[in-house]
Structures are given as structure tokens and as C-alpha cells.
Amino acid sequence: MVLELQKPRPVWQIMFSTHHTDVGLLYLITSLAFLFLGGTLALAIRAELFLPGAQIIGDAMTFNRIFTVHGTTLIFLFIIPFASSVGNYYVPIMVRYKDMAYPKLNAIAFWMIPPAGALIWLGFADFTWYATPPYSIISAPGPAADMWIFGLKILGISSVLGAINFIVTILKCKHPDMSIGQVPLLAWSFLSSSLIILVAIPTFAAALLMLLTDRLGVSGFFNPAMGGDPIAYAHLFWFTFHPEVYVLVIPAIGMMYEIIPRFSRKPIYSYNSGVFAFVLLSIVGFSSWAHHMYATGMSFTEKTVFMVGTLAAVPASAMHVFNFVATMWNGRIKFSTPMMWCVGGIALFFSAGAGGVANAAMPLDFTTHDTYWVVGHFHLFVMGTIAFGSIGMLYYMFPYVTGRMYNETMGKVHFAMSFIGTVLVFFTQHVLGLYGMPRRVFDYPPIPEWIAMNQIATVGAMIIGISMAIFLANIIYSSGKGKLANTEDPFGVGGKYYYPFEAKNPHHD
Amino acid sequence: MSGHSNWPEWIYIGVVVALMVWVGAEAWEAERLVEHVPADAETIIVTGQQWFWTFEHEDGTKEIGELHVEVGKAYKFEIISKDVNHSFNIHDYVVLMDAIPGRVNTVWFAPTDVGTHDIQCREYCGLIHYNMRGTLIVEAPSS
Ligand code: HEM
Ligand SMILES: [Cu+2]
Ligand SMILES: [Cu+2]
């Protein structure tokens, strides 16, 4: 890989590089920057909701902008670029090819992200990450709304370009001696999520254009005042974004497949069922989108169809959980920091899935829909599963990126605090939802149960916030001053790893 | 592939599938029952707009922000919106239905006890979404 800090080279050389480990590094730094930016917004939201009445955010408009940009940032500017970073570092090595299939395209896909991020942050739209019409058409203030639309448009194109690159690299560039059945599960995760992207994203790309022309007043696709229908947007959006949740989660599961067997010092329990579950999820994931729309007035038949489609995807997720547990079973497990994040992530993945089943059961969804329950549900995935897997992966890659070890104690404290914080925030939010508190509210009436649970959630968020500060200090300090890593076996678990530093970066020799 | 036998995984998958079938069947049955609107339900037209609720009873009386109903009767809400999406919600009675401009959505309920309950909006609708609230007042039968 790069070992940038040991063999420094000019920043512009990395920025203009098309080599996969350099692009990986750019993705890594960008995604972490947005993790901290988006996380700060989360703390602002939680501080505001600590008590009824205005606390730190003076007005509802600012609050609405903050939660919109928070969600948009962490999904599109942290989770996805972070996965691309891991894919860039590892996929070419895993399929034994010299680079990504199209290196220039790879660099272009990365460089679309900073301008998109700038549009989203400079605009600071307020219409939620769903860009809800007709509000987004007739009410949402510009130019923020338009900047958000363009930002998302760019990110969509970037995703599609990245997906094409991963698919071609894996299917066409893998070493001739290697069969598809020997491709490691981490690379399989990129293959499946990339295929989902290609099928899912175009629908939303179209919807975004329609939203834009609706805003300009030249069309009325989603605007009832011009004969349009907001429900059409709901279908287009969720046809993309239910599958997209698997785009987010599958690479994180792939990262766990890289880490868990290594630290259990056992081969994966069943490679085949890992592959099968990835492929199954990518197909069945397309049969459930309207489970987000039970309360829009769908017929009983429609609701039933999408409930069945949703429940049908659950066994595929459950298979991964089984595979991980069976791999750890009787293993000589070493609980280094990366392993702790993965094991914690699996526990939260399981709880998140259980809550999802409740949402899917249509009569129960009328209790949970658009309450804090849903916020708790998907954060157990995006934070509890995906961020946990990603942060575990970051610690795992750290010696290869920097040539040094992070501080293990700080890594474990980071994990312990984040785990406790995540349980406090998002389990509590499930209960808060059962008490009926709607999501996306700047303020709430002084109902004692609501106040108590909001306070628990805020305390949990602050614990996560502190742990993230420890994390930041750890990676900054250790990348310069940490003890040198044994790059052959940085974690002392024996065996061979995938060694990103073996990638032949033309700038290095 | 390792050479071990996979029967524990098959049993596990079987259990998960069975659980999903059970959840699905129960949900289907429950939803089928709650969607059946009683024939004698009185209609109330519910209008959502930024950022308050208006109610119109069958006899033409209108209320804003407050809704008076009687124990023992069934009510069918016809929910519409004048501007953007909202969602009409009486959490205590699990009444939830989106108010979408250009559509009429229906949902019904039958209050069981005298008392008051919160009405709120559960779909983001802009600036004052957080305070688009009202009160349901359930009264004893008048006759
Ligand atoms: C066992 C698997 C899952 C099931 C059964 C499930 C089910 C559901 C259902 C029924 C809803 C709609 C809730 C409502 O709005 O009333 C929902 C919302 C959501 N789920 Fe899941 N889900 C699963 C996995 C995931 C995963 C893996 C992710 C993310 C990576 C995810 C992210 C979300 C998000 C973001 C929402 C809310 C979107 C919004 O309204 O803003 N879910 N889920
Ligand atoms: Cu979904
Ligand atoms: Cu609202």
C-alpha cells in the first residue's frame, strides 16, 4: 500500500494519481472528514432535543436543515466513499490484478465527490434526505434545494462509475488461475453491491431530474397542482433506496468476512453460504421497496405483496449472522480492536433486523412508521452495523496505510464507549417511537416519558461523541508517532493477510 | 469449501423462514380485520394544511385543531391535504394515514373510553411540522 507517512511524497502526486491505493487513500480521508462533519450535526440535533423548548438551535428552519444534511452526509459522503476506499485498497489485490480495470475512471469517480459534498454543505437544504415532494417543489427554499439535487445527481453518477469499475475488475481482470468461486467474500460483497447500484440508481436519477424540472415549473410530475402525484416519487425513490440500503450494508458485511475468520484463527464457516446470501439479497432486495409506504393509502393487496417481499429478504441477512457466529464458534479468538468492532456490529445487526421485521408487519408499522422507532431501526444498521464494520476495517487497515500501529487501549475504549452509546441512543429511540414521538421534529410537548428518553438518547450521543474524539486523537497521533507495525502480521494472529503494500504503485519505485 | 456438514445452518434457516411465515400470516390476518370499515361509520373529513388540522362532521359542523367524537360510534376519516404531505395520527388509537394532496385516504376507528388524546402530524411538512398538533376529545354518548 502506501505507507505515506514513512515515504512522504508531494500531495499533488497523490491527488493526481490514478493508482488504486492512492485513490483509496483519497476516498479514505474524504470519508473520514465527512464522518466527523456529519457526526457534529448529530450532536447538535441531540443537544437540541435534550429538553422541550429551543435549546441550542434557535429556530426550526435551521434544525430541519441540520437533520437533512446530517443524513445526506453520513450516507452519501461517509458510508459510500468509505466502502469505495476499502474496495480500492483490497479488490485489485484480492483478484490479483495490477489496478482497477479503468484507473482514470476510478479517479474521476472519486473527484466527483468533493464538489457534490460542497454543493450539499453550501446549500444546506431542509427537505429531508427523501426530498419530499410536493414540499420540495412548492415550499423548500432555493438555491439550497437545487444545490442538493445537483449534489445527489453527481453522487449518483460517481456511484455508477465506481460500480462499473468494480464489476469489470472482478469479473474480467481477476487472475486467469482464479475461479469466481475463489474470489474472497470481501470482493464478492463489492460485486453484489455494484450490481445492485447499476439496477437501482437510474430510477432515482430520473426522479431527481423530474424533481428539478418540477421546481423550475416546467413540469408537474410530482406536483398535484399541475396534475402530478407525490406517490409516484415515493415509488421511484424507494425503488432505488430500499436496494440501496443493501448497497450500504453488504460491503460492511464483506469487511466483517475479512476480519472475523482472521481473528478467530479459523476459516470462514461457509464461504458458499456467504456468496449465496449476498446474491440472494441483491435480488430479493428489489421486492420490498413499498414497505416504506404502508401509510400512503396503498390497497390491502399491495401492502401484502410488499410485506411478503420484505420478509423474504430476512433469511438472507440471517444467514450472515449464522456464518459469523459459526466461524467464531470454537475459534481461538483474539479480541483486538478490529474484531471487537465486528462482533459488536453483528450483535447490533441482529437487533436491527429484528426491529425491521416489526416494521414490515403491516399493522405494527402503523404504530412505528415515521416515529423515532424508524430512526432507531435504521441507525442500528447505518451506525451499529455499517459504521461499526467500517471502523473495525479502518483499524485493521491502519498498519497498512501508515506503517504504524494505533494505540490498542484507545481503540478498545473507543469501541466500548461507542457500543454503549449506540445502545443508549438507538434502543431508546425504538421505545420513544412506541410512545408516539414523531421523527423530524424540532420541538416536542413536555410528556414525561418523551423527555426521559430523549435525555437518555442525548447522553448516549455525547458518549459516542467523546469516543470519536478519542478515535481522532488516536489516528492522528499514531499515524505519526505510533510504534512501527509488523506489516507481515500486525495483529499477531498468524497466517497470511492480503497485503496492500504489495500493490505496485508506480510512484513508489 | 470446508468439508463439515451443514445441517445446523439448514435447521437455523428453517427456523427463520418459519418465523417469517408466522409473522406474515399474523400480520395479514390482523390487517384484514382492521381494514374492514363498519357500515354505520360516520364520516369525518380531515384536512391537513401547513400547519393545522380541520375537521368536518357529517352534519356540516367544522372544528379546527380539536375533534369531538362520542364513545360507542365508529368514525371513518376521509383525509385530504391542501398543500404538502402530512400524516394524520392519533397514536393512542393507532390511527395513522397520510394526507396527500390530490388523494383521499381513508381510515376508521371507534373510540372506547371518554377522555382526550393527542393528534399530531407524523410526516415532515416544513417549518412548523413539529407543532402541527391537535386534541381528540372523546365524549359520552349524547342521547
Ligand atoms: C432485516 C432486514 C430489514 C428489514 C426487514 C427492514 C425493514 C424496514 C421497514 C419495513 C422500514 C419502513 C419503516 C417505516 O418507515 O415505517 C424500514 C425503514 C428503513 N430501513 Fe430497514 N429493513 C431492513 C434492513 C435495513 C438495512 C440493512 C438498512 C440500512 C443499511 C435499512 C435502512 C432503513 C432506512 C434508512 C429506513 C428508513 C428510511 C426513511 O424513512 O428515512 N434497513 N426498514
Ligand atoms: Cu426499505
Ligand atoms: Cu407534518
Side-chain angles (χ1 to χ4, degrees):
Chain A
M1 186 170 309
V2 272
L3 310 185
E4 289 317 325
L5 297 151
Q6 291 184 2
K7 297 180 205 156
R9 49 196 172 108
V11 172
W12 60 263
Q13 203 185 62
I14 302 174
M15 290 175 61
F16 292 106
S17 171
T18 60
H19 188 259
H20 69 100
T21 60
D22 288 339
V23 178
L25 184 65
L26 292 171
Y27 268 121
L28 184 64
I29 292 168
T30 310
S31 64
L32 289 180
F34 281 115
L35 168 65
F36 285 98
L37 282 169
T40 309
L41 297 183
L43 295 182
I45 296 170
R46 285 311 329 157
E48 175 56 48
L49 294 174
F50 187 73
L51 280 173
Q55 306 298 320
I56 64 160
I57 303 170
D59 62 298
M61 181 49 111
T62 312
F63 182 87
N64 297 342
R65 290 178 189 272
I66 286 178
F67 74 70
T68 299
V69 176
H70 158 76
T72 312
T73 299
L74 286 164
I75 290 178
F76 299 107
L77 300 168
F78 163 60
I79 293 182
I80 293 182
F82 185 87
S84 303
S85 163
V86 173
N88 264 282
Y89 273 125
Y90 280 92
V91 166
I93 293 165
M94 288 185 158
V95 301
R96 311 217 312 267
Y97 188 63
K98 59 183 175 358
D99 202 335
M100 293 291 284
Y102 307 113
K104 288 205 188 79
L105 196 68
N106 194 25
I108 291 171
F110 166 76
W111 280 107
M112 301 180 84
I113 291 177
L119 282 169
I120 291 163
W121 273 75
L122 295 176
F124 236 68
D126 76 313
F127 52 24
T128 85
W129 82 288
Y130 170 73
T132 178
Y135 175 79
S136 53
I137 298 167
I138 58 179
S139 267
D146 311 280
M147 290 166 80
W148 188 95
I149 292 173
F150 276 102
L152 265 281
K153 192 86 204 160
I154 296 172
L155 290 171
I157 298 170
S158 161
S159 270
V160 170
L161 297 182
I164 293 172
N165 225 335
F166 280 124
I167 293 170
V168 179
T169 309
I170 295 167
L171 292 183
K172 285 287 172 206
C173 303
K174 73 176 158 48
H175 196 278
D177 291 348
M178 196 178 204
S179 79
I180 189 78
Q182 290 166 327
V183 170
L185 286 171
L186 178 61
W188 262 106
S189 75
F190 280 92
L191 181 59
S192 349
S193 63
S194 300
L195 288 168
I196 303 178
I197 287 176
L198 287 195
V199 181
I201 295 272
T203 312
F204 180 58
L208 269 177
L209 277 184
M210 293 152 91
L211 206 56
L212 185 70
T213 54
D214 276 11
R215 272 184 67 78
L216 294 173
V218 294
S219 64
F221 296 109
F222 311 130
N223 183 357
M226 290 175 71
D229 186 359
I231 299 303
Y233 178 83
H235 281 292
L236 296 174
F237 182 92
W238 289 116
F239 180 83
T240 294
F241 280 101
H242 183 77
E244 178 85 4
V245 305
Y246 295 117
V247 172
L248 308 177
V249 87
I250 285 176
I253 299 289
M255 296 170 205
M256 295 179 182
Y257 274 124
E258 174 60 22
I259 292 170
I260 286 176
R262 209 171 291 290
F263 287 84
S264 306
R265 292 183 260 211
K266 263 179 74 189
I268 188 75
Y269 171 79
S270 172
Y271 171 88
N272 286 0
S273 80
V275 171
F276 180 77
F278 280 149
V279 175
L280 187 66
L281 212 51
S282 348
I283 298 166
V284 188
F286 281 92
S287 65
S288 51
W289 76 85
H291 64 211
H292 297 272
M293 301 165 56
Y294 289 145
T296 56
M298 287 199 299
S299 72
F300 179 62
T301 314
E302 282 174 291
K303 281 185 289 201
T304 305
V305 167
F306 286 103
M307 174 183 73
V308 172
T310 308
L311 296 177
V314 174
S317 304
M319 281 171 77
H320 292 301
V321 176
F322 183 87
N323 219 345
F324 289 134
V325 174
T327 303
M328 293 189 290
W329 200 264
N330 282 332
R332 286 190 304 122
I333 303 176
K334 180 160 185 185
F335 281 105
S336 306
T337 305
M339 184 64 172
M340 292 190 127
W341 283 94
C342 289
V343 175
I346 295 165
L348 296 171
F349 182 57
F350 181 83
S351 346
V357 172
N359 290 336
M362 26 186 187
L364 298 182
D365 187 63
F366 289 92
T367 298
T368 62
H369 177 66
D370 269 335
T371 67
Y372 259 94
W373 171 289
V374 171
V375 180
H377 158 71
F378 70 78
H379 279 88
L380 284 185
F381 284 109
V382 292
M383 171 75 195
T385 312
I386 302 169
F388 271 51
S390 301
I391 292 173
M393 192 67 193
L394 181 81
Y395 280 113
Y396 179 74
M397 294 160 63
F398 191 84
Y400 294 116
V401 179
T402 64
R404 295 177 182 275
M405 284 309 280
Y406 56 84
N407 180 304
E408 186 70 30
T409 311
M410 284 167 88
K412 286 185 172 148
V413 171
H414 176 204
F415 166 74
M417 291 176 72
S418 281
F419 188 81
I420 294 168
T422 301
V423 169
L424 286 181
V425 183
F426 303 116
F427 281 41
T428 310
Q429 287 185 342
H430 278 78
V431 184
L432 185 54
L434 296 180
Y435 277 106
M437 176 157 166
R439 62 193 288 206
R440 296 169 171 153
V441 288
F442 161 65
D443 197 4
Y444 56 94
I447 300 169
E449 291 85 1
W450 290 19
I451 298 178
M453 305 222 179
N454 272 295
Q455 295 189 334
I456 297 173
T458 300
V459 169
M462 297 305 153
I463 296 177
I464 300 176
I466 297 169
S467 80
M468 290 293 169
I470 296 175
F471 169 54
L472 189 62
N474 192 0
I475 53 177
I476 290 177
Y477 178 83
S478 305
S479 50
K481 297 258 168 54
K483 69 172 192 298
L484 288 181
N486 162 14
T487 41
E488 280 300 306
D489 182 9
F491 299 98
V493 288
K496 285 256 160 232
Y497 298 52
Y498 289 95
Y499 298 113
F501 60 80
E502 285 175 356
K504 297 218 174 0
N505 189 332
H507 297 303
H508 274 155
D509 22 49
Chain B
M1 249 310 262
S2 38
H4 57 76
S5 78
N6 253 350
W7 62 265
E9 185 166 18
W10 284 115
I11 292 178
Y12 167 83
I13 294 171
V15 170
V16 174
V17 171
L19 269 174
M20 292 308 117
V21 171
W22 175 71
V23 169
E26 290 283 327
W28 184 83
E29 179 66 11
E31 184 66 18
R32 197 173 59 87
L33 294 177
V34 297
E35 284 207 0
H36 184 78
V37 189
D40 60 350
E42 270 182 33
T43 302
I44 299 175
I45 298 173
V46 178
T47 309
Q49 57 191 297
Q50 287 170 326
W51 290 276
F52 57 96
W53 297 105
T54 324
F55 306 97
E56 185 178 342
H57 293 268
E58 260 178 10
D59 61 8
T61 41
K62 284 192 182 174
E63 307 185 68
I64 295 178
E66 278 190 358
L67 173 60
H68 290 81
V69 293
E70 289 176 9
V71 168
K73 284 190 182 170
Y75 296 90
K76 184 174 113 187
F77 297 113
E78 290 189 355
I79 302 164
I80 56 179
S81 164
K82 282 204 171 149
D83 40 43
V84 302
N85 297 351
H86 305 273
S87 196
F88 176 65
N89 177 218
I90 308 167
H91 188 73
D92 293 345
Y93 278 105
V94 199
V95 169
L96 177 76
M97 188 52 70
D98 290 353
I100 291 165
R103 294 193 173 221
V104 182
N105 280 340
T106 56
V107 63
W108 74 278
F109 93 127
T112 48
D113 295 297
V114 175
T116 62
H117 301 274
D118 285 340
I119 293 173
Q120 57 186 6
C121 175
R122 233 158 82 180
E123 183 71 68
Y124 180 75
C125 55
L127 194 62
I128 319 282
H129 164 59
Y130 69 91
N131 205 19
M132 184 164 163
R133 305 184 66 84
T135 310
L136 171 76
I137 298 150
V138 184
E139 296 168 338
S142 48
S143 48

